[in-house]
Amino acid sequence: MAIAEIPVVDYIDLYNDLKERMADHRYHVAHYFATEIEKGLKFYMLLLDDESGEVLITSFIPDYYAEGLASLTAVHAQFHPFEREIHELYGVEFTHHPWLKPLRFSHNRRNKQSTMDTYPFYKIEGDDLHEVNVGPIHAGIIEPGAFRFICMGEEVLHLEIALGYQHRGVEDEMIRNQNRLRQSVIAESIAGDTAIGHTTAYAEVIERLAHANVDDSLQRERAIALELERIAMHLADTGALATDIGFQLYQVACEALRTVTINTTQAWCGNRFGKSMIRPLGTNHPLTAAKIDTIRKNVADVRRRYNEVREDILEAPTLLSRFEQCGLVPKAEMYRIGGVGMAARSSGAMRDIRTTHPWGYYANLKHEAVTHHDGDVMSRLMTRMDEVLQSADYVLQMLEGYVPKGDIALPNYEPTLDNEALSFALIEGWRGEICHVALTDEKGEISKYKIKDPSVHNWLGLAIAVRSEGISDFPINNKSFNLSYCGHDL
């Protein structure tokens, strides 16, 4: 939509509206950011209505932000990462904010004196308490993050997660060079395990700015790719959870099935993670009859074999006793912190863009979200297991009777984009809700690009999950969320 058509409201009016509106769980914030203009700063907010499927967009230009804006986080915690980022980048004070800590130590942050070495970790005084620091260098292969536990004996009283060790400047790179192929490659690298999800969001942002009507066949193939990515990652996480409690047999079985899945993606596009698969306005890797046969055969086999593993898991007393009632995050807490994706659905919070704001081919699938309600490690595992079977069924359904077209367009890296416009995309990645937003200038070039990975919402959920748990249960809780470090750090 044209930027000129976006309402510009008074912040006090917006604050008062949101103070009441956000008490209803049908609403949650998709993105909230600021951008520099000649007069100072202009703020944009995208709010999702999960009942009507609407996206509410507004903006404001305060002339008093130097003195501070009343904090929305103080009344609705889900705004905390957005206000923290705005404060970090532009120095905006949000009065009554619980704690305006840096979000990710961005390279272009306002206060360069604020560093990881001076991060203000939460402190509790007491002779019976001790602190345990994990990271930022991890003993395994995951990325850097610092975890500071305050414990009484083995019991975790508080966990604080400090990220921001990777200064890639992804959002700046998306506007520094207006080459659409280069931007596509950057989008694939936002979170390496979600290459298809993030690149699909980028492609849709560009296509809407170009007023392009994307072929139904291309939309179907993108949905198939997204569901293959979901299957692969849920398989990996099932195996990883089994590893964390010593069930090596389940881990080996799941890794074998994941290998089949990602090799299927490689047979499709030449890359196991789906890189090069998604491009704006077209594709270099359309499905063929031979590829369809391969995908159908492999997915059906993976579904059958994984269901056997799933049934074994549900009958394993040792696994059940370790996972059930461990790492509880109640539904009310998930709604409060703005949790999204499979982690939120595992607590009974219905957050699934495929259901509430379906896009592309998902409008045809009429997706019914998988939910579990205990909010523990077991629920997060069961959500994954059920979604593997559901996604496999979706892939087989989308391939049933599908005759690939021979004239799907090739990518277009030089489309004419609307000038002075805002475009956004919402994608349900395997972790949850991905949101990309672009603003264009008077020449039709991207002047602002904002990215939200679902991990930004859900890291706080992990911190809540380990409260009152034994510190030895942190690894399985961490793996049950499996959040992205680089997707957060940008």
Side-chain angles (χ1 to χ4, degrees):
M1 64 187 303
I3 291 175
E5 295 177 1
I6 299 174
V8 180
V9 301
D10 187 88
Y11 180 71
I12 296 301
D13 293 335
L14 177 64
Y15 176 89
N16 290 331
D17 177 86
L18 292 173
K19 189 175 182 180
E20 297 183 8
R21 185 188 300 270
M22 299 301 290
D24 189 334
H25 296 320
R26 67 186 286 180
Y27 297 103
H28 73 280
V29 59
H31 226 313
Y32 175 33
F33 61 92
T35 186
E36 292 179 306
I37 59 174
E38 185 177 348
K39 300 176 183 178
L41 292 176
K42 184 174 184 179
F43 295 70
Y44 291 90
M45 183 180 295
L46 280 71
L47 199 68
L48 304 188
D49 183 338
D50 290 336
E51 286 191 12
S52 70
E54 293 179 315
V55 181
L56 311 179
I57 306 177
T58 193
S59 65
F60 61 93
I61 308 174
D63 55 5
Y64 43 81
Y65 62 81
E67 289 75 34
L69 297 174
S71 171
L72 287 164
T73 304
V75 288
H76 297 294
Q78 64 178 279
F79 286 95
H80 85 91
F82 305 105
E83 290 189 337
R84 287 168 60 195
E85 182 192 44
I86 293 168
H87 171 72
E88 183 177 13
L89 293 179
Y90 305 109
V92 177
E93 293 294 335
F94 290 97
T95 60
H96 307 298
H97 191 288
W99 205 338
L100 270 176
K101 298 186 179 189
L103 183 70
R104 54 173 64 104
F105 293 91
S106 301
H107 68 97
N108 55 344
R109 62 192 182 277
R110 177 61 62 90
N111 180 10
K112 294 296 195 300
Q113 302 304 312
S114 175
T115 67
M116 298 303 302
D117 292 337
T118 60
Y119 185 83
F121 281 104
Y122 187 69
K123 297 285 185 181
I124 302 177
E125 300 295 333
D127 293 338
D128 297 327
L129 306 181
H130 65 280
E131 292 185 352
V132 178
N133 189 70
V134 177
I137 305 303
H138 194 269
I141 59 172
I142 61 175
E143 297 174 85
F147 299 80
R148 183 73 60 88
F149 299 84
I150 299 176
C151 300
M152 179 177 290
E154 291 291 305
E155 181 185 354
V156 177
L157 301 183
H158 179 77
L159 164 63
E160 186 159 4
I161 303 167
L163 304 173
Y165 289 88
Q166 301 171 99
H167 306 292
R168 297 177 296 157
V170 173
E171 293 174 339
D172 286 349
E173 284 298 301
M174 294 293 274
I175 61 177
R176 186 177 68 84
N177 188 317
Q178 297 290 321
N179 183 293
R180 307 297 170 224
L181 174 57
R182 185 175 188 276
Q183 290 172 342
S184 300
V185 174
I186 292 173
E188 290 174 337
S189 304
I190 292 168
D193 54 19
T194 318
I196 293 172
H198 274 289
T199 316
T200 299
Y202 165 75
E204 294 207 356
V205 164
I206 296 301
E207 288 158 1
R208 288 164 187 165
L209 284 170
H211 293 279
N213 293 319
V214 177
D215 189 279
D216 288 344
S217 296
L218 182 58
Q219 293 283 16
R220 183 195 299 248
E221 294 185 13
R222 286 180 179 175
I224 293 169
L226 277 166
E227 296 307 317
L228 283 174
E229 183 171 72
R230 195 181 319 275
I231 293 170
M233 292 309 303
H234 285 345
L235 287 170
D237 285 345
T238 304
L241 278 165
T243 299
D244 278 352
I245 61 169
F247 269 73
Q248 203 68 25
L249 176 62
Y250 296 155
Q251 188 269 335
V252 171
C254 288
E255 282 303 314
L257 295 176
R258 175 179 178 266
T259 298
V260 174
T261 306
I262 60 179
N263 283 353
T264 302
T265 301
Q266 183 178 38
W268 181 354
C269 71
N271 184 278
R272 295 195 301 170
F273 300 103
K275 293 186 176 183
S276 81
M277 174 89 75
I278 310 298
R279 292 293 183 262
L281 291 95
T283 179
N284 291 311
H285 302 283
L287 282 177
T288 62
K291 290 178 179 179
I292 288 175
D293 286 343
T294 298
I295 295 171
R296 182 187 291 116
K297 175 185 175 182
N298 289 352
V299 168
D301 186 51
V302 166
R303 189 198 190 285
R304 177 186 60 80
R305 293 163 62 191
Y306 182 71
N307 194 42
E308 294 176 359
V309 175
R310 173 179 172 274
E311 290 175 353
D312 288 343
I313 285 175
L314 294 176
E315 295 177 358
T318 303
L319 185 148
L320 297 176
S321 66
R322 188 74 190 280
F323 287 172
E324 289 178 342
Q325 297 300 300
C326 178
L328 292 167
V329 185
K331 177 167 71 172
E333 282 294 274
M334 269 298 180
Y335 277 133
R336 188 177 71 87
I337 67 173
V340 297
M342 55 77 46
R345 297 193 292 275
S346 301
S347 295
M350 227 310 291
R351 291 280 187 259
D352 194 323
I353 295 299
R354 293 172 293 174
T355 297
T356 60
H357 297 76
W359 75 98
Y361 198 80
Y362 286 99
N364 301 323
L365 287 179
K366 296 182 170 33
H367 169 70
E368 293 186 12
V370 172
T371 56
H372 288 275
H373 299 276
D374 290 338
D376 55 5
V377 172
M378 191 64 207
S379 284
R380 292 188 281 277
L381 173 58
M382 290 182 68
T383 298
R384 283 185 167 87
M385 294 193 297
D386 290 349
E387 287 195 352
V388 168
L389 303 184
Q390 183 187 58
S391 293
D393 289 341
Y394 282 162
V395 171
L396 296 174
Q397 177 184 333
M398 286 186 280
L399 291 176
E400 184 66 31
Y402 177 50
V403 179
K405 295 177 61 176
D407 58 350
I408 292 182
L410 291 172
N412 180 358
Y413 300 119
E414 297 180 351
T416 301
L417 307 185
D418 261 3
N419 57 12
E420 298 184 319
L422 179 147
S423 176
F424 70 92
L426 293 164
I427 301 294
E428 187 68 24
W430 67 270
R431 277 193 184 93
E433 176 184 309
I434 296 168
C435 182
H436 285 210
V437 186
L439 301 176
T440 58
D441 60 19
E442 65 280 359
K443 298 178 182 178
E445 294 187 344
I446 296 175
S447 58
K448 187 76 172 182
Y449 201 92
K450 294 300 296 180
I451 299 161
K452 186 200 72 178
D453 185 86
S455 302
V456 171
H457 292 288
N458 287 349
W459 277 110
L460 185 54
L462 172 59
I464 293 171
V466 299
R467 289 179 184 172
S468 300
E469 298 291 344
I471 194 169
S472 59
D473 281 334
F474 171 70
I476 61 175
N477 276 284
N478 189 20
K479 184 53 64 179
S480 74
F481 280 84
N482 191 12
L483 302 175
S484 176
Y485 297 74
C486 57
H488 178 283
D489 286 355
L490 299 181

